[in-house]
Amino acid sequence: MTRNMILKKLLNIKGAIVENVDFAAGDDEMIALRVRVRPNRRNRWRCPACGRKCPVYDHPCDGNTWRSMDFGPASVYLVASVPRVCCPEHGVLAAAVPWARPGTRFTTDFAYSAAWMLKGGLSKKKVSEWLQIDWKTVGRLVKLVWNDLEPDAKRRLDGLVNIGIDETSYRKGHTYITVIVNHDTNTVVWAHDGYGKEVLELFFAELSEEQRSSIRVVTGDGAKWITECVEEHCPNADRCVDPFHVVEWANDAVDAVRLDAWRRARIALADLVKQAKADKKSGREDPESAERIKSLKKDIETLKRSKYPLGKNPENLTAKQSERLMMIQAKDKRLRRAHDLKEELRLVFKLTTYDAAKEYLDKWIKSAQHCRIPAFVELQRKIRRHEKHILNTIEFGLSNARIEATNNKIKLLIRIAYGFRDIDTMIGLIMLFCSSIEIPWPGRGKKTPVE
């Protein structure tokens, strides 16, 4: 086997011929291996857009360079003289080469290695240091790999039945992206910068009439804009409200009652201290006053530290939290009632049939309506508005758990990348990693587009 044939195998170049090779040393004493290549007769002078053979328009004076995967300590570059071709459909463009995608100066194998390492858990900084490329280039290479593996991302929109909608922040300052997940495949099918009705309508605008009619269940939080979009574009779909958000509403109501009790206790403490000072000044000091002040301060401290004991599920409480919860329930009947209402609402999602859940939820609404706790009176109005959506959640057994898990993956990707400046690069990363697409290591598996 000749030297050129060995280089062709090592570089994983298909559809090309190795002509020559030489070494060059840069200013930083790094060794660079420069391999001169050219497309074979079958692959030369093709349009990069449509792939048809075209007449040569002109020849460049100097050879073009592509960065390839390294050989040990040596950086490898492919050098070739690529003419411009004149395509009848796409005009004058640089001819396509079989070892790289159009518009990039990195070989396809180099791009795949960067994406593989990033998906393996390395940060963009580590990948850029390892491959000796710019930090921003890593994101662009990942986007290139996604476009290569999935040339038509809109095929994910075919056959949607159960979808989940949510927004997640990707930068400080309430900067969000809207993410839509297919519950049946647990993959992201669409993502876009921003949130709200205008953004969600962009998703439904991309769907055909047949694709919209196939959607049967849409899960999400209680946002009004999600409900409005579903009713407008998918009137036959059932809207479900995620149980986590419903219980979170109840936790917020309990916390409002807790804060109110804490404020009232502080006012009572201030009055008690003021009265004790006045009694002391007048010579009528109450010997039990100091004990009452001490006891009230302890109650205030207990209320201050009781947010988690009141919000957590009883089965998940620690021994210390259970003790604190019992102390609160014994001393504050209003807060005990609020906590009981929260737990009763949580139990509705343990029911498995629509009729049983409806009967139980109607009783809860009536109980909360007459509890004389403003936070829960307001909550029962909200529950009443979303009652049908809550019952749909119980009937279909779907929640936003998968999309919340996807949001955690997205936040992990953002943290690994140390943030993104280009939203398109971030969305490309999300679509590639939060999917069933497998990124093969160059030379170890076939790069097959998603079916």
Side-chain angles (χ1 to χ4, degrees), residues 232-436:
E232 180 180 349
H233 299 284
C234 298
N236 296 325
D238 291 302
R239 171 83 160 90
C240 297
V241 173
D242 183 49
F244 172 81
H245 290 91
V246 176
V247 177
E248 187 179 33
W249 299 342
N251 277 330
D252 291 341
V254 172
D255 200 48
V257 178
R258 179 187 69 86
L259 288 173
D260 183 58
W262 178 72
R263 293 189 189 101
R264 285 188 282 106
R266 286 185 55 138
I267 293 172
L269 177 63
D271 293 340
L272 194 59
V273 170
K274 185 177 179 180
Q275 183 64 39
K277 287 181 179 180
D279 291 345
K280 186 177 181 180
K281 190 174 182 180
S282 63
R284 294 177 296 156
E285 186 175 357
D286 186 357
E288 297 181 359
S289 178
E291 194 64 32
R292 286 199 299 269
I293 291 173
K294 184 179 179 181
S295 176
L296 193 52
K297 283 183 178 180
K298 185 178 179 181
D299 293 343
I300 291 172
E301 187 65 22
T302 302
L303 284 170
K304 183 179 178 180
R305 298 176 180 274
S306 63
K307 180 177 181 179
Y308 292 111
L310 288 167
K312 285 178 71 174
N313 297 341
E315 62 271 17
N316 298 330
L317 290 173
T318 64
K320 190 173 182 179
Q321 289 172 340
S322 297
E323 182 182 351
R324 184 170 293 166
L325 181 61
M326 291 173 63
M327 289 173 59
I328 293 170
Q329 290 177 331
K331 292 188 176 183
D332 194 322
K333 294 181 179 180
R334 186 185 181 89
L335 194 52
R336 181 181 63 188
R337 179 60 179 147
H339 181 262
D340 291 343
L341 284 170
K342 186 266 293 187
E343 287 301 314
E344 290 169 6
L345 180 61
R346 188 174 68 88
L347 292 176
V348 72
F349 295 104
K350 302 291 184 181
L351 302 176
T352 56
T353 63
Y354 184 95
D355 293 336
K358 180 172 175 54
E359 182 181 356
Y360 184 92
L361 194 58
D362 287 340
K363 289 181 180 178
W364 186 92
I365 290 173
K366 186 176 292 186
S367 179
Q369 187 178 11
H370 298 90
C371 69
R372 297 183 180 180
I373 303 175
F376 275 86
V377 172
E378 183 60 33
L379 176 62
Q380 64 85 22
R381 295 193 186 104
K382 193 173 186 178
I383 296 296
R384 194 189 296 272
R385 290 196 300 269
H386 293 282
E387 183 177 7
K388 187 176 185 301
H389 304 156
I390 294 171
L391 295 175
N392 286 340
T393 300
I394 296 168
E395 182 180 8
F396 295 107
L398 289 175
S399 69
N400 257 24
R402 285 189 171 181
I403 196 167
E404 293 295 342
T406 300
N407 287 343
N408 286 335
K409 289 182 183 178
I410 293 172
K411 291 184 183 298
L412 180 61
L413 289 174
I414 295 168
R415 190 160 61 250
I416 289 174
Y418 292 98
F420 288 90
R421 295 183 182 179
D422 183 5
I423 183 66
D424 292 332
T425 299
M426 186 186 74
I427 289 176
L429 198 69
I430 292 169
M431 297 294 283
L432 180 60
F433 290 174
C434 299
S435 68
S436 57

Side-chain angles (χ1 to χ4, degrees), residues 10-26:
L10 291 175
L11 293 170
N12 195 28
I13 301 175
K14 297 177 181 178
I17 298 171
V18 176
E19 294 181 329
N20 195 9
V21 60
D22 59 35
F23 285 97

